Amino acid sequence: MDNAIEITGLNKTYPGSSKEPEKQALIDVDLTIPKGSIFGLLGPNGAGKSTIINIMAGLTVKSAGSVKIWNLDIDKNPRNAKTAIGVVPQEVNVDWFFTPRQTLDLQAGMYGVPKAERRTMEILETVGLADKAGAYSRALSGGMKRRLMIAKAMVHNPPILVLDEPTAGVDVDLRRQLWDNVRALNARGVTILLTTHYLEEAEELCDRIAIINHGKVIVSEDKEKLLSRIDNKIIRFRLDQEVGDIPGSLEALCGKRDGPRSLVFYYSPGEQSVGEIIEKIQESGYGISDISTEDSDLEDVFLQLTRAA
């Protein structure tokens, strides 16, 4: 088995009412998530990400198509298919009067895990909460509560972990801690499905990325291949003197002022050389004090694909 999740021809239509027409939330969605990968599912609000997750978790009934989780069809073997995934929802959902240890024991009991087979302290150690095992959940920090949510999803030892906006509303430091947790889990062989609105998070963590919009998958491919779709770079020059009116030769190269002594150029390496830009700057009577460049990132690709869809 090479794939952790296989989705083919998935459709979901929500029925209408007297006031609202029916809504087709998913349209012929095909997704293949390789075993052992960190897979990013990106899209604007209302694109269909949560519908896909809810169908996999058994919370929403699909209209058509097939879904296999760990090679188990959710129609033919729904119970085992559900136990193959652990879902971490966006909302923090813990009992404030339970300790993390009690929370995990209760969750394991709901999954039918015998007491002798529960790994409560091992899981708390994995997510960095072993020292808080006996503290009330209400006393945990925001980041600790997020990690406790991940721990809850791991009590039945699922090979697939679904993280739905796991870092929403947390600060930069806590986000980095959660990233480290995700990498550690993946290193242990857990397949991660991540939805996020933080595109730098997907770019940092994911091996493969799918973008969905208006219920359709626009693209699903390796991250590096996806990033190479836009062959644009930004180059900034800090000059030895202030720039007045931009000379025509530089304006023709799409040069723009980026400050009193700074020029910025947007160019395609395949069509234009940096040497040509430098030559034109020097011919215009300016010296160059500093040069910096920026590559296109996932945000550029995301915006281009979702606007075109």
Side-chain angles (χ1 to χ4, degrees), residues 210-256:
I211 296 176
I212 185 171
N213 197 20
H214 301 303
K216 296 181 180 180
V217 174
I218 304 169
V219 65
S220 178
E221 58 192 25
D222 290 338
K223 177 179 66 180
E224 298 304 323
K225 183 178 180 181
L226 184 61
L227 290 173
S228 69
R229 281 174 168 260
I230 298 183
D231 185 28
N232 287 333
K233 297 190 74 171
I234 301 171
I235 186 166
R236 284 185 172 82
F237 295 92
R238 181 169 175 77
L239 308 180
D240 61 351
Q241 56 186 289
E242 290 192 7
V243 181
D245 294 331
I246 300 177
S249 59
L250 297 179
E251 200 168 19
L253 298 176
C254 299
K256 297 180 180 179

Side-chain angles (χ1 to χ4, degrees), residues 132-306:
K132 299 292 183 181
Y136 284 119
S137 298
R138 65 177 181 271
L140 301 179
S141 68
M144 290 177 181
K145 291 171 184 172
R146 290 282 180 185
R147 281 183 271 160
L148 180 56
M149 292 295 293
I150 295 175
K152 282 181 63 179
M154 295 171 57
V155 295
H156 57 297
N157 198 29
I160 303 167
L161 200 59
V162 179
L163 305 177
D164 191 6
E165 302 282 350
T167 58
V170 304
D171 63 33
V172 174
D173 185 51
L174 293 178
R175 189 180 304 167
R176 288 284 175 181
Q177 291 179 28
L178 288 168
W179 288 5
D180 290 340
N181 279 136
V182 169
R183 290 192 183 98
L185 290 169
N186 183 247
R188 295 185 177 202
V190 179
T191 302
I192 307 290
L193 171 58
L194 171 71
T195 75
T196 179
H197 283 297
Y198 297 113
L199 299 184
E200 73 277 11
E201 183 168 79
E203 189 169 350
E204 176 84 15
L205 293 174
C206 297
D207 312 311
R208 189 175 178 86
I209 291 172
I211 296 176
I212 185 171
N213 197 20
H214 301 303
K216 296 181 180 180
V217 174
I218 304 169
V219 65
S220 178
E221 58 192 25
D222 290 338
K223 177 179 66 180
E224 298 304 323
K225 183 178 180 181
L226 184 61
L227 290 173
S228 69
R229 281 174 168 260
I230 298 183
D231 185 28
N232 287 333
K233 297 190 74 171
I234 301 171
I235 186 166
R236 284 185 172 82
F237 295 92
R238 181 169 175 77
L239 308 180
D240 61 351
Q241 56 186 289
E242 290 192 7
V243 181
D245 294 331
I246 300 177
S249 59
L250 297 179
E251 200 168 19
L253 298 176
C254 299
K256 297 180 180 179
R257 287 185 58 182
D258 192 39
R261 296 174 54 188
S262 181
L263 287 176
V264 61
F265 294 83
Y266 299 83
Y267 75 104
S268 171
E271 300 175 0
Q272 193 174 40
S273 71
V274 176
E276 180 184 359
I277 298 174
I278 293 174
E279 182 181 339
K280 295 297 184 184
I281 290 175
Q282 292 173 336
E283 286 179 358
S284 300
Y286 296 104
I288 299 172
S289 302
D290 188 35
I291 301 175
S292 63
T293 62
E294 299 174 17
D295 290 313
S296 297
D297 59 15
L298 185 58
E299 183 174 354
D300 298 316
V301 180
F302 178 85
L303 290 173
Q304 184 187 69
L305 293 174
T306 54

